[in-house]
Amino acid sequence: MQHKQTEQRFANDLNIVSLISVGKHPQSGRERRAEQDGRAVELGMSLNAENLTVLHAGDPQQNALRSYAGMGLNSIRVLEMDPAADAIAPLSSYLKQHSPDIVLAGVRAESGESSGMVPYQLAEQLGWPLVSRIADIISVEGGVAEILQALPRGQRRALKVRLPFVASVDNAAQEARQSAFGPASRAALDLQSTQSTTDVIRDEWSEAPARKRPKRLKKVKATTAAERFKAATAKAQSDGGKVMKNEPAAEQAQAIFDLLLEEGVLR
Amino acid sequence: MSFEWLHPVLIATALVLAAVGAVRRVNLWRAGQADQINLIAGLMAMPGRYLHDLHDIVERDKYMSKTHAATGGGFVLSAVLIILVHMLGINSQILAWALMASLVLMFVGALFVFKRRLDPPSRISKGPWMRLPKSLLSFAGAFFVLTLPAAGVLPEGTGGVLLTLFLTALIIWGMGELFFGMTWGGPMKHAFAGALHLAFHRRQERFGGGRSTGLKPVDLSVAADQGSVLGVAKPTDFKWTQLLGFDACVQCGKCEAMCPAFAAGQPLNPKKLIQDMVVGLAGGSDAKFAGSAYPGKEIGNAKGGPNQIITEGLIDPETLWSCTTCRACVEECPMMIEHVDAVVDMRRYLTMEKGSTPNKGAEVLDNIIATDNPNGYAPASRTNWAADQNLNVLSDVKETEVLFWVSDGAFDMRSQRILRSFVKLLKAADVDFAVLGDEELDCGDVARRLGDDATFQSLAKRNLETMAKYKFKRIVTTDPHAYHCLRNEYNDLGFDGLKDVEVLHHTTYLNELVQQGKLKLDNLSAGTVTYHDPCYLGRYNGEYEAPRELLRSLGVEIAEMERSGFRSRCCGGGGGAPITDIPGERRIADMRMEDVNTTGAELVAVGCQQCTAMLEGVVEPRPEVKDIAEILAGQLIEEMH
């Protein structure tokens, strides 16, 4: 796929940080450029290649960082720490100190805990809004960004968010451009030492490959070919749910409780 | 004749101007990168190379070889004698007669050049080339008349001022083309640059019937240096020997006539590519190019200079990605120019510096890097195809006679049929063989042709390290691309693990087994059979006979296609072309199938899984496509025990 050559769509004064992690190839388990983090860098480069900081907290020797650099980065900033340590503290202190306008990250890491909590925790620590699963940033004007959020089945939701904010980048965003060996070899790694705390809880865990979760069978009640096609291709849509906006909090909580009981989550 | 002093002065002036032009031209070449060439030895070997290597190629076109021998030979001899007789004024009737004889020879040759240019084929360039035969005729004619008095045929001083002026005009025209034009960029430049190109050719191994087809490795040790460039971005990034080679082009268009991409209407014409390189090295535009354009592109818009990025204004990257690296152009070129090297050099820049491999290129390269195979399959599933084959794996047996290099065909269900057939034959012949199993990696062919030499070198080194752990005498593979890499390209990487190992294509090896009587085969009655030569087996490795002998051993009489052997037309599957997939008007595989159809064949025998895939991709009805291993396995007489 040809990537859009839309570099620098905005004024140069926009400060963007793209957070990158070490990815893991699903077939070989080999370290690589993470899919979503690559998209976060791509989005950052297309917004403002000049003032983009690509930031990693972990081991600067990690080869996968080079494959991000190969996208044409002059440097990657690395907060040097034990890759197993918790990255939240060093990242948030870095971001507090540099106060960028936009922080982009993948939805979840491809290795490690892969909890998807990093953008949320950073947003909480910084006190900034978090926009989850964005597909694109359309414009930034007067301190307000117009964002497209990715929804299932190719749907998009247009949002307006005041700067600064943290956003997680969905798979629907522009694919990361090709990584080239020359620039990858030449990029500078800009090291900063940090105080990181060992993740005591994680130390006690043992890792094993995930088992495939059983899928709930879909009941197909289709009578026409078109319906069967839709049933086969459509992602399960949350039908049967209801939107409760104006009800009292107790009623809303009861509804959630009832659903959890019904689904067998609570017994 | 009057003005006795005039002609020596004119000749000397033309020679001095030619010398000035020569220095200027040499400096254009010297702007390229250093190359290891023995200059003296090259110059000494040059005449022999002209008479044998170059002439052997020209000889494929008898008309042209005789014409060129007469014209060129006559001219060289005449030039020497003209200097002696007319410039230095040596008064010898013998020399004068010799000069007249050589001028007659040249004149006759020039007449044939003239005749061919009356109705020239579309492949040859027009423009200034159309005036060349006339220039040759006036040069030879005028000097002939001028020599008559010296030979004693006419008394000194014959003819008036008018005749002298007329002859002088012809001589100025002739010498302008043949002496001045030779170094200042006229059609005769091919003689000057061509002679030196033969002397300083980058692939000296090609002379004397040798073959040199492996791509040269990129020096990756400088990759991390600021300001370094991998591959060729500007004309000056080529080796100087390559620049010299481009300048030697005679624009005969034999490459154009053979190029599958040009025929398919993709934006590539190897002749124009080389001329664009000349535009690049000398600076200017392609407006004066008088040959066929890149299909779908107009002439006159390309501009370049020695220090300008080639793919920004001189050549559209699509042109470079259209090449299937089939080497038909190189094989055909009478000047022995290396088109494919140049194409891959420029691709290297696009991939390793710009990250702009088109279409599926980036995805395939990412897959190869992450999983060591182009489709991103789990590396641990590489040997799944042989689950029922009970093969020896080298990590268990450590030592074997024959290492069967399986290649990425292991992941493809169609190719697996070829692999199974080959295994069946090996077992029937009781060969001691083993595979590397999951330790085998992609050979690096696709990565290298797509310009990613870093990934190629990484794969090659890891494969070599794996093989170094085990003992075997031969490697046999069913994939000509892997065969080429292992045989011709792995040796450049500073490992000598394969030094004493013989690398064979499966057809060569099977032929050996059949000759030794180790395989008992039934005759094949499959109607008319033709054979398609894979580029990487034929032109790259010179193996044309073994597959044919195998077919003959089955009692098959091969109905040869017009383009077979060293002139075989590519299936369109080489050089990563199916991955970069540059649009054209036709598909190369369809054209190849038309070639097959003209023989009336019902079966095409192939020796390459890539060719099999390309030819089977042609819509039916079409002849059946089978690998030689499949055909043989079908005719195997299995002994009952």
Side-chain angles (χ1 to χ4, degrees):
Chain A
M1 211 181 292
Q2 297 287 324
H3 62 79
K4 293 180 283 182
Q5 289 289 355
T6 48
E7 286 191 18
Q8 299 204 7
R9 289 185 285 180
F10 305 100
N12 274 351
D13 53 2
L14 203 56
N15 264 312
I16 304 171
V17 172
S18 292
L19 304 180
I20 57 171
S21 63
V22 176
K24 196 170 183 181
H25 193 275
Q27 296 299 333
S28 65
R30 212 171 279 172
E31 286 146 347
R32 64 158 181 177
R33 172 175 72 177
E35 276 276 312
Q36 292 168 342
D37 295 353
R39 288 170 203 260
V41 175
E42 178 65 43
L43 183 55
M45 289 178 85
S46 72
L47 290 173
N48 188 347
E50 295 296 310
N51 264 342
L52 172 70
T53 306
V54 175
L55 184 63
H56 175 70
D59 176 12
Q61 300 300 317
Q62 178 50 250
N63 234 346
L65 299 183
R66 290 277 166 200
S67 57
Y68 290 97
M71 294 168 74
L73 306 173
N74 292 323
S75 71
I76 289 178
R77 191 152 298 167
V78 184
L79 307 177
E80 208 172 346
M81 59 164 225
D82 172 13
D86 196 346
I88 297 296
L91 285 177
S92 70
S93 78
Y94 177 92
L95 293 172
K96 271 178 194 157
Q97 195 188 330
H98 291 83
S99 58
D101 299 309
I102 301 174
V103 176
L104 300 170
V107 173
R108 64 172 75 239
E110 293 176 356
S111 56
E113 270 176 58
S114 194
S115 64
M117 289 301 286
V118 169
Y120 289 92
Q121 290 187 332
L122 283 178
E124 186 189 26
Q125 298 238 336
L126 295 164
W128 295 356
L130 174 100
V131 195
S132 64
R133 295 192 169 273
I134 68 168
D136 202 1
I137 296 177
I138 307 293
S139 71
V140 182
E141 266 167 43
V144 177
E146 206 180 316
I147 298 176
L148 282 187
Q149 192 178 31
L151 299 175
R153 303 217 284 160
Q155 298 176 83
R156 299 285 182 269
R157 180 188 283 143
L159 298 172
K160 280 193 176 164
V161 182
R162 186 161 291 281
L163 301 178
F165 63 87
V166 180
S168 64
V169 179
D170 189 79
N171 281 339
Q174 173 68 42
E175 202 179 353
R177 66 192 66 184
Q178 187 175 357
S179 176
F181 183 81
S185 314
R186 284 190 282 276
L189 292 182
D190 175 7
L191 303 191
Q192 296 195 357
S193 54
T194 54
Q195 300 263 314
S196 64
T197 44
T198 325
D199 192 338
V200 190
I201 305 170
R202 192 176 156 183
D203 273 356
E204 293 166 15
W205 296 347
S206 62
E207 272 184 47
R211 265 188 309 147
K212 266 194 182 161
R213 274 194 246 154
K215 260 191 194 158
R216 179 174 289 194
L217 289 174
K218 267 189 280 183
K219 272 181 274 177
V220 181
K221 285 180 240 149
T223 48
T224 65
E227 280 171 8
R228 272 196 300 279
F229 179 74
K230 202 177 162 197
T233 53
K235 277 191 192 172
Q237 236 185 343
S238 52
D239 47 55
K242 56 182 174 183
V243 181
M244 300 174 78
K245 266 186 184 167
N246 303 320
E247 288 81 352
E251 210 174 301
Q252 294 178 348
Q254 186 62 44
I256 295 173
F257 185 74
D258 290 345
L259 178 76
L260 294 179
L261 271 183
E262 189 187 314
E263 292 287 325
V265 180
L266 297 176
R267 277 163 224 248
Chain B
M1 276 184 221
S2 13
F3 311 119
E4 291 292 326
W5 51 272
L6 181 60
H7 295 133
V9 169
L10 277 178
I11 296 167
T13 310
L15 289 175
V16 167
L17 286 175
V20 172
V23 172
R24 195 179 140 271
R25 207 77 204 170
V26 168
N27 280 332
L28 290 178
W29 305 328
R30 277 162 43 99
Q33 304 295 308
D35 200 0
Q36 296 283 324
I37 291 293
N38 186 338
L39 299 181
I40 306 293
L43 283 173
M44 301 281 283
M46 188 256 284
R49 288 172 183 175
Y50 171 76
L51 291 172
H52 296 118
D53 301 285
L54 185 142
H55 200 74
D56 284 353
I57 303 174
V58 182
E59 185 72 9
R60 291 171 190 166
D61 180 352
K62 292 269 193 300
Y63 179 96
M64 215 39 232
S65 79
K66 292 202 175 84
T67 304
H68 190 265
T71 323
F75 166 65
V76 171
L77 199 58
S78 306
V80 173
L81 291 167
I82 283 169
I83 291 170
L84 296 179
V85 174
H86 291 294
M87 196 175 93
L88 304 176
I90 295 174
N91 204 352
S92 150
Q93 286 218 352
I94 301 172
L95 283 184
W97 278 103
L99 173 55
M100 292 202 329
S102 63
L103 285 168
V104 167
L105 184 66
M106 179 180 169
F107 194 87
V108 171
L111 281 176
F112 282 98
V113 181
F114 184 82
K115 185 174 160 230
R116 195 177 71 136
R117 292 250 162 208
L118 286 177
D119 182 21
S122 68
R123 63 177 166 82
I124 66 176
S125 290
K126 319 293 184 300
W129 293 85
M130 295 307 278
R131 93 178 168 238
L132 181 60
K134 293 163 208 156
S135 312
L136 292 166
L137 289 173
S138 55
F139 180 91
F143 272 110
F144 185 83
V145 177
L146 206 63
T147 313
L148 290 174
V153 177
L154 290 177
E156 292 286 339
T158 311
V161 177
L162 269 180
L163 178 64
T164 312
L165 283 180
F166 178 64
L167 284 179
T168 306
L170 286 183
I171 283 169
I172 290 174
W173 177 13
M175 288 198 304
E177 186 80 275
L178 288 152
F179 291 160
F180 178 79
M182 186 178 283
T183 58
W184 286 85
M188 283 305 292
K189 183 189 69 181
H190 80 270
F192 172 58
L196 293 179
H197 170 57
L198 284 183
F200 309 138
H201 198 287
R202 192 181 181 210
R203 294 177 179 272
Q204 300 271 322
E205 313 88 320
R206 282 190 66 189
F207 299 110
R211 198 174 292 278
S212 168
T213 55
L215 293 173
K216 308 277 184 194
V218 173
D219 180 7
L220 296 175
S221 65
V222 299
D225 299 352
Q226 296 301 325
S228 70
V229 171
L230 300 174
V232 167
K234 303 169 296 207
T236 48
D237 292 334
F238 282 112
K239 302 281 184 205
W240 71 268
T241 45
Q242 288 178 285
L243 295 179
L244 167 58
F246 302 144
D247 232 4
C249 175
V250 271
Q251 305 195 31
C252 66
K254 299 242 165 151
C255 51
E256 173 186 321
M258 283 295 147
C259 178
F262 180 80
Q266 289 173 276
L268 170 64
N269 172 356
K271 182 175 90 174
K272 171 85 164 55
L273 180 88
I274 297 302
Q275 283 314 304
D276 282 350
M277 295 293 103
V278 175
V279 168
L281 78 92
S285 94
D286 69 339
K288 285 185 200 139
F289 177 68
S292 317
Y294 298 128
K297 302 215 184 292
E298 273 176 41
I299 290 174
N301 304 322
K303 286 182 186 65
N307 287 306
Q308 288 172 30
I309 307 275
I310 295 169
T311 44
E312 293 170 7
L314 187 57
I315 287 186
D316 187 332
E318 279 203 341
T319 295
L320 302 174
W321 295 113
S322 296
C323 176
T324 67
T325 69
C326 76
R327 257 184 107 78
C329 49
V330 183
E331 186 75 37
E332 211 60 38
C333 181
M335 281 298 188
M336 306 176 88
I337 295 169
E338 297 283 346
H339 311 64
V340 176
D341 281 358
V343 167
V344 176
D345 279 341
M346 291 183 276
R347 284 185 181 185
R348 285 169 170 172
Y349 168 72
L350 292 173
T351 292
M352 290 198 288
E353 292 293 347
K354 304 297 283 181
S356 62
T357 324
N359 288 320
K360 289 282 171 190
E363 191 184 323
V364 165
L365 291 173
D366 272 352
N367 282 337
I368 295 177
I369 291 167
T371 63
D372 304 319
N373 69 75
N375 292 308
Y377 294 113
S381 66
R382 184 174 278 275
T383 326
N384 287 5
W385 71 276
D388 57 345
Q389 298 290 309
N390 197 20
L391 301 184
N392 283 335
V393 180
L394 266 175
S395 56
D396 299 333
V397 296
K398 310 288 181 201
E399 196 173 341
T400 185
E401 174 83 19
V402 171
L403 164 60
F404 170 27
W405 187 272
V406 176
S407 85
D408 289 333
F411 295 104
D412 171 58
M413 288 173 78
R414 174 66 184 89
S415 306
Q416 286 168 12
R417 271 156 51 195
I418 303 173
L419 300 174
R420 284 166 190 280
S421 302
F422 183 57
V423 166
K424 186 178 172 189
L425 293 164
L426 288 177
K427 284 180 174 168
D430 239 347
V431 174
D432 170 26
F433 74 100
V435 295
L436 283 171
D438 292 343
E439 280 191 295
E440 187 184 306
L441 312 175
D442 177 277
C443 64
D445 168 71
V446 168
R448 183 163 238 203
R449 301 324 126 179
L450 288 179
D452 191 348
D453 220 45
T455 300
F456 165 78
Q457 290 187 26
S458 153
L459 288 166
K461 281 177 186 157
R462 284 182 290 145
N463 274 327
L464 284 163
E465 277 161 14
T466 303
M467 287 191 278
K469 293 190 289 182
Y470 307 118
K471 272 188 164 173
F472 49 87
K473 293 194 185 99
R474 301 170 125 186
I475 303 176
V476 180
T477 177
T478 50
D479 176 10
H481 297 262
Y483 171 49
H484 169 66
C485 287
L486 289 163
R487 183 176 181 226
N488 303 321
E489 296 189 339
Y490 274 26
N491 294 323
D492 294 339
L493 299 173
F495 286 73
D496 55 2
L498 295 183
K499 198 172 48 136
D500 301 318
V501 175
E502 198 181 2
V503 187
L504 297 169
H505 185 245
H506 72 305
T507 54
T508 316
Y509 187 63
L510 288 172
N511 190 37
E512 199 181 296
L513 294 179
V514 169
Q515 303 294 323
Q516 290 168 356
K518 289 190 180 157
L519 285 172
K520 291 202 174 66
L521 300 164
D522 233 348
N523 271 2
L524 177 74
S525 48
T528 314
V529 179
T530 190
Y531 171 67
H532 164 76
D533 289 274
C535 309
Y536 276 75
L537 181 61
R539 278 187 292 270
Y540 275 81
N541 285 291
E543 181 59 278
Y544 302 109
E545 264 315 297
R548 290 185 165 78
E549 264 181 47
L550 279 172
L551 288 173
R552 283 195 290 267
S553 72
L554 299 175
V556 170
E557 204 177 305
I558 305 163
E560 291 285 2
M561 287 178 266
E562 192 191 323
R563 285 185 60 175
S564 64
F566 74 87
R567 279 201 169 131
S568 171
R569 193 207 296 265
C570 179
C571 69
I579 296 161
T580 54
D581 200 22
I582 303 301
E585 287 155 23
R586 285 172 292 280
R587 289 179 69 252
I588 296 175
D590 290 345
M591 296 189 301
R592 189 53 172 162
M593 198 48 93
E594 279 165 30
D595 293 350
V596 172
N597 282 331
T598 51
T599 65
E602 289 148 65
L603 173 67
V604 202
V606 181
C608 169
Q609 63 212 24
Q610 191 77 22
C611 299
T612 311
M614 294 305 290
L615 294 176
E616 274 194 349
V618 176
V619 285
E620 295 199 316
R622 51 150 175 77
E624 211 182 344
V625 182
K626 273 188 177 180
D627 190 273
I628 301 239
E630 293 179 274
I631 299 173
L632 257 55
Q635 302 312 113
L636 194 62
I637 303 168
E638 280 166 283
E639 283 165 42
M640 296 295 174
H641 295 289

